[in-house]
Structures are given as C-alpha cells and as structure tokens.
C-alpha cells in the first residue's frame, strides 16, 4: 500500500507501507499504519490532516515508493487530482484508494516510529486501472500477487482434516 499526502503548499509526499490495518469498522471505519520518523510524509499529513492509501498491483511503482528520498516518483505517476479530494495521488495501476482524516489524538509515538490512526472518509475504485488486477504483496523477500481467493468451505474442511490427523497422531504417540 502507498500512503500519500500533500502539505499546505501542495507538495506531495508518499511512501510504501508494509503493514496497513483495520482498527475498527463500527461506529466508523478506522485504519492504522506505522511510519518511521523523520518523514516528509508524516510532515505532510501533520500539515494537511489527511492522507490517502492506495492499493497497488505494480511492483515497479511499489519499488519507487519504497526507495525513499531523492527520487522524482511523483511527476511520473501523478494524474490530475479532483479538487474535492485535496491531498491524493492517483497511482498508475492502483486498485483502490482510501481517503482518511488523520486522528492525531489517537496516534501513538513509539521510539522512532508513529502508529498513525485515521478515520476513513471515502473508498473508491481507481478508474485509471490498467491490466493488472491482483493486489501486490511482499513476502519472503520479493513482491508477489495475492492470487484468487479461496472459498472458506475449502479452508475449513482442509483445516479440519489436519486437526483430526494431528489429534490422532498425538494420541497414538502417548499410548
């Protein structure tokens, strides 16, 4: 996921986050991610009070946002912004965007990191999405696609078989 924000003069900042979480859905959706300080993205969020999270499917874009400072990643991938959206970046091959209001009073400083908390304002599909549709994940040192979902009935029956097999083998070893 890429988190972006604009400061008061319109300068864009953003980074790739390795962990993005739902905190709660009720009464309003609230999300979180971790950010290392110092950070131009943190500064932009602090100035604007908002951030956008974009789900991505393109490893090249992920790598640009993972590299950090000194890379002109924004002029390559930025698309026209809807003035009502304020501080958003429409990332090429993005799957969706989650616009959030930063809840500063709920965020937590821990060492050189901040757990950023935000209230979800809007979720939209990306109308500019191109060919890739699977969400990108990072696992075992490389980017991968998440792949198709597995029906819960198949997972439950597989896990039940494992549980039954393990139960019997542990009982047999104790006899």
């Amino acid at each position: 996921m890429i988190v972006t924000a604009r400061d008061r003069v319109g300068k864009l900042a953003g980074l790739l986050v390795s962990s993005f979480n739902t905190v709660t859905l009720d009464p309003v959706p609230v999300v979180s991610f971790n950010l290392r300080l110092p950070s131009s993205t943190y500064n932009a969020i602090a100035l604007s009070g908002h951030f956008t999270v974009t789900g991505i499917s393109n490893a090249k874009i992920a790598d640009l946002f993972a590299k950090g400072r000194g890379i002109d990643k924004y002029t390559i991938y930025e698309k026209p912004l809807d003035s009502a959206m304020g501080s958003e970046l429409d990332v090429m091959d993005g799957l969706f965007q989650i616009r959030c209001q930063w809840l500063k009073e709920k965020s937590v400083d821990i060492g050189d990191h901040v757990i950023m908390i935000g209230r979800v304002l809007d979720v939209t599909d990306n109308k500019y999405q191109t060919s890739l549709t699977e969400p990108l994940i990072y696992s075992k040192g490389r980017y991968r696609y998440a792949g198709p979902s597995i029906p819960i009935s198949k997972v439950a029956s597989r896990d039940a078989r494992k549980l039954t097999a393990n139960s019997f083998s542990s009982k047999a070893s104790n006899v």
Side-chain angles (χ1 to χ4, degrees):
M1 304 273 201
I2 294 174
V3 175
T4 56
R6 286 190 183 274
D7 64 19
R8 286 191 183 130
V9 296
K11 185 177 179 189
L12 189 65
L15 72 153
L16 181 73
V17 295
S18 60
S19 177
F20 177 77
N21 306 288
T22 302
V23 175
T24 186
L25 294 174
D26 189 28
V28 295
V30 175
V31 296
S32 72
F33 65 93
N34 300 329
L35 191 90
R36 184 176 180 192
L37 298 175
S39 166
S40 59
T41 305
Y42 176 84
N43 294 341
I45 293 169
L47 288 171
S48 70
H50 293 86
F51 60 89
T52 297
V53 180
T54 303
I56 57 173
S57 61
N58 187 318
K60 289 180 181 178
I61 293 172
D63 219 29
L64 280 174
F65 281 85
K67 298 284 189 221
R69 297 169 175 78
I71 298 172
D72 190 9
K73 51 199 165 207
Y74 309 111
T75 58
I76 298 169
Y77 294 106
E78 189 171 356
K79 295 189 176 153
L81 295 174
D82 176 350
S83 61
M85 295 180 73
S87 62
E88 280 63 56
L89 173 70
D90 191 2
V91 178
M92 189 180 302
D93 290 328
L95 301 174
F96 58 85
Q97 289 189 315
I98 304 170
R99 292 186 324 111
C100 301
Q101 176 186 6
W102 181 39
L103 300 176
K104 181 179 181 178
E105 68 283 359
K106 302 288 186 187
S107 298
V108 179
D109 292 336
I110 301 176
D112 64 349
H113 281 71
V114 177
I115 300 172
M116 301 290 287
I117 307 291
R119 180 173 59 91
V120 175
L121 301 174
D122 186 35
V123 179
T124 57
D125 289 329
N126 188 340
K127 61 187 173 193
Y128 298 110
Q129 185 180 337
T130 61
S131 59
L132 299 175
T133 57
E134 294 296 330
L136 191 68
I137 59 173
Y138 191 79
S139 173
K140 299 180 182 177
R142 46 181 75 176
Y143 294 114
R144 303 168 187 275
Y145 292 108
S149 61
I150 301 169
I152 193 67
S153 60
K154 288 185 179 183
V155 174
S157 64
R158 182 194 68 209
D159 291 344
R161 284 193 304 271
K162 282 183 182 178
L163 180 60
T164 304
N166 289 340
S167 298
F168 288 128
S169 64
S170 63
K171 287 179 183 177
S173 64
N174 291 334
V175 176

